[in-house]
Amino acid sequence: MLEIISLVLGPVSTNCYLIADPDSGDAVVIDPAWDGQIILAEAQKRGWMIGQLWYTHAHFDHFGGAAEIARVLNPLPMVALHPLDHDLWQLKGGAPLFGIHIDPGPEPTVDLAHGQILRLGNIEFEVLHTPGHTPGHVVYYCPKESVLFSGDLIFQGGVGRTDLPGGDWEALVESIRKQVYSLPEDTRILSGHGEETRVGEEKCNNPFVRA
């Protein structure tokens, strides 16, 4: 069974998810938002080994803790990002525009693609390309555990902003309807900000995108 530790980190209260296959002790950090030492400490006290960093997109508040994590780990973790967000990553996720300095950490080594399968121990995740918030935004869906890590695509009662460079409202709406609302209604949605929700709840109640 997948274990999930949720941490709210950084200057804009970003949700970081430390997930693990407890049978193998293998762990992944989805969006290592900030405060890498906090993420590392949570893994260490459980005896988990972080081997991968998966980014939903390349805004700075979703990978600001990567460098601190990578400095401690040997070998370096695998870093996964969709190629359409590589340019944004190289610009430090837009941090300088907000007067924030970050070390972006290790360069992404895995180019994500729609339909790609990622593995954590014996648990599989499907990568779904969901542009709109950024061109290369992705979400991670685990059918076995009925959970979707949605980044900044959709929130409880909200959606990701599209007024930043690369944002596209029409693409965001299409991504939500095709890639999120098509999932089973009891699927948990763990977002990049805010509280947990479910697909069925958002289909009925999200004021921005209705099914």
Side-chain angles (χ1 to χ4, degrees), residues 59-75:
H59 282 149
F60 72 90
D61 61 307
H62 288 259
F63 65 91
E68 196 167 4
I69 293 172
R71 277 195 291 269
V72 173
L73 299 181
N74 185 17

Side-chain angles (χ1 to χ4, degrees), residues 61 82 93 101 141 146 155 192:
D61 61 307
H82 194 282
H101 171 75
Y141 175 50
S146 296
F155 311 118

Side-chain angles (χ1 to χ4, degrees), residues 98-115:
F98 295 90
I100 296 173
H101 171 75
I102 68 165
D103 180 343
E107 187 163 357
T109 51
V110 175
D111 284 342
L112 297 173
H114 185 75

Side-chain angles (χ1 to χ4, degrees), residues 57-175:
H57 63 293
H59 282 149
F60 72 90
D61 61 307
H62 288 259
F63 65 91
E68 196 167 4
I69 293 172
R71 277 195 291 269
V72 173
L73 299 181
N74 185 17
L76 284 174
M78 179 192 86
V79 180
L81 177 70
H82 194 282
L84 291 179
D85 267 19
H86 280 193
D87 287 348
L88 179 57
W89 179 85
Q90 290 173 343
L91 295 171
K92 298 185 178 181
L97 297 176
F98 295 90
I100 296 173
H101 171 75
I102 68 165
D103 180 343
E107 187 163 357
T109 51
V110 175
D111 284 342
L112 297 173
H114 185 75
Q116 181 176 354
I117 301 299
L118 299 178
R119 290 176 175 83
L120 169 59
N122 293 315
I123 305 170
E124 293 187 348
F125 296 78
E126 184 178 5
V127 177
L128 304 175
H129 182 214
T130 53
H133 181 61
T134 66
H137 194 289
V138 302
V139 299
Y140 301 100
Y141 175 50
C142 181
K144 181 180 177 181
E145 301 288 338
S146 296
V147 63
L148 177 77
F149 296 91
S150 71
D152 285 3
L153 176 67
I154 187 170
F155 311 118
Q156 183 187 60
V159 298
R161 60 190 294 181
T162 58
D163 59 332
L164 296 173
D168 183 320
W169 174 253
E170 288 76 18
L172 182 95
V173 170
E174 182 177 16
S175 292

